[in-house]
Amino acid sequence: MSLFENCEQSSLQHYVIQNHKKQDMVRTGSYNTTNNMSHCNSWMVVADGHGVGNVINVLNTLDWDDTMNNDEPIEYVKTLINSMEQTIRDGSTISIVKISNIGIRMWWIGDSQIRVYKNNEELWRSNNHNGENLKELQKTREKNLETELAWELSVLDNEHITLKPSNYIYHIVDGKKEKLTLTRSLGHNGDVCQETETHFIPFDNKGKWKIIAASDGFWGMTCLYDDGFLKDNDYGAEELCKIASQRWSKKWYYVDPRDKDNTKIVKQEIQGPHGDIGVTVWSGNM
């Protein structure tokens, strides 16, 4: 069977649950090529907006079918956002995936992470551009940007949750400080780092593949023990979104990171707003 015939056994899905900011955006589709291998040529986009909301509104109304026909779609998106009149206190992550008959090309800015699974094993994941990434944090400090300790939710297992240390970064935008958890972002008048990371994974031999690109409202509700359903091709975008949504709403046994003897474990709901959840999934046999 040819590679193209194998590629017809693929699934492409997206799903979103808006809880608080209502600024998650997910899109999927197929793009044109000269060889017309439309089943192979799929694309996925995830954006997680923050702040005023004009940036994510532009991304929401963008013609993504047309945009994804570009060889470097993220550069088109960056140019578009940078042409906006002003984006002070307004920005978004962006993660883009293009699947062809030869492999997977990925671009990203921010922490809407992409993970790739092959034959039921995690093969690769994108680096998060945020205050938890020590290499990213070092780059911001080399620019003499101020940082501040922060705490992020961290799921330990299906019943226990804790807090883990992270950092806020005080970016200088139009001469004033803007406090973000991100080290890179679209928007913010172009004064926050917009350097794109990119990666390519070839379809070098036959196998079962799955790609998940999702916002931090999804990944923040997952843990090491979730690998079983994350890599399972039977779990699509809707199923994954609903798992995360249920976790945002359930009562957890909270483990205080300051309590080394775990003597203060109590069961309670997550305090504060629940994160928006956006998930895209591609799976197939190549």
Side-chain angles (χ1 to χ4, degrees):
M1 183 177 287
S2 71
L3 186 61
F4 173 51
E5 289 171 333
N6 271 341
C7 202
E8 294 187 358
Q9 302 173 22
S10 64
S11 171
L12 181 66
Q13 307 165 31
H14 66 265
Y15 201 82
V16 66
I17 297 176
Q18 308 281 22
N19 286 321
H20 174 54
K21 298 182 300 178
K22 296 179 171 54
Q23 290 198 40
D24 273 14
M25 185 212 76
V26 290
R27 298 286 188 275
T28 54
S30 60
Y31 62 95
N32 299 326
T33 63
T34 55
N35 59 19
N36 293 319
M37 290 185 176
S38 59
H39 287 88
C40 285
N41 300 317
S42 300
W43 56 263
M44 310 155 64
V45 178
V46 177
D48 182 358
H50 54 266
V52 175
N54 291 330
V55 170
I56 197 67
N57 287 343
V58 168
L59 296 176
N60 261 315
T61 57
L62 187 61
D63 184 343
W64 284 101
D65 286 315
D66 183 62
T67 300
M68 296 304 290
N69 286 322
N70 288 282
D71 290 336
E72 297 288 333
I74 202 163
E75 295 305 317
Y76 176 85
V77 171
K78 287 164 66 173
T79 300
L80 175 67
I81 299 302
N82 287 335
S83 70
M84 295 174 65
E85 184 175 352
Q86 68 94 0
T87 54
I88 294 174
R89 300 194 181 281
D90 194 1
S92 180
T93 70
I94 186 77
S95 294
I96 297 176
V97 181
K98 291 181 81 170
I99 304 106
S100 71
N101 63 316
I102 62 170
I104 309 160
R105 174 72 66 186
M106 293 157 284
W107 303 258
W108 71 98
I109 298 170
D111 61 1
S112 296
Q113 193 172 65
I114 308 164
R115 298 188 190 182
V116 178
Y117 301 85
K118 181 181 179 183
N119 295 330
N120 294 317
E121 297 292 338
E122 183 180 317
L123 179 66
W124 177 87
R125 66 173 66 182
S126 59
N127 295 314
N128 282 332
H129 303 148
N130 61 22
E132 293 180 40
N133 186 326
L134 296 181
K135 289 184 178 179
E136 285 287 300
L137 198 61
Q138 180 60 31
K139 290 178 182 178
T140 64
R141 288 172 174 163
E142 288 171 358
K143 298 176 184 177
N144 295 318
L145 294 177
E146 182 184 346
T147 62
E148 176 188 333
L149 178 65
W151 293 92
E152 299 284 344
L153 290 171
S154 178
V155 175
L156 298 174
D157 55 39
N158 199 41
E159 296 295 330
H160 296 82
I161 199 166
T162 188
L163 293 172
K164 61 182 176 182
S166 182
N167 291 273
Y168 291 116
I169 299 94
Y170 287 88
H171 298 274
I172 306 302
V173 178
D174 201 30
K176 297 181 180 180
K177 291 182 180 180
E178 290 194 16
K179 182 179 177 180
L180 299 175
T181 59
L182 298 171
T183 55
R184 309 188 199 187
S185 176
L186 295 176
H188 302 282
N189 274 15
D191 289 337
V192 174
C193 178
Q194 296 183 356
E195 182 181 353
T196 304
E197 271 203 78
T198 185
H199 189 68
F200 178 75
I201 298 176
F203 291 136
D204 49 3
N205 50 50
K206 291 183 180 180
K208 183 171 71 171
W209 295 79
K210 184 177 184 180
I211 308 165
I212 304 174
S215 66
D216 65 348
F218 172 74
W219 293 119
M221 285 292 107
T222 62
C223 68
L224 292 173
Y225 298 104
D226 294 332
D227 196 52
F229 66 76
L230 289 173
K231 66 187 180 183
D232 189 337
N233 285 8
D234 290 335
Y235 283 79
E238 182 175 356
E239 290 83 4
L240 294 177
C241 262
K242 289 181 176 178
I243 289 171
S245 181
Q246 289 167 359
R247 289 183 175 183
W248 274 107
S249 302
K250 68 178 287 184
K251 285 188 175 182
W252 294 87
Y253 288 106
Y254 171 66
V255 180
D256 190 330
R258 299 164 298 184
D259 179 18
K260 295 181 180 180
D261 297 324
N262 294 333
T263 59
K264 300 177 182 178
I265 295 178
V266 295
K267 196 167 189 178
Q268 62 185 42
E269 292 180 348
I270 292 172
Q271 304 300 306
H274 297 179
D276 301 331
I277 307 162
V279 178
T280 61
V281 174
W282 180 90
S283 58
N285 297 315
M286 300 297 291

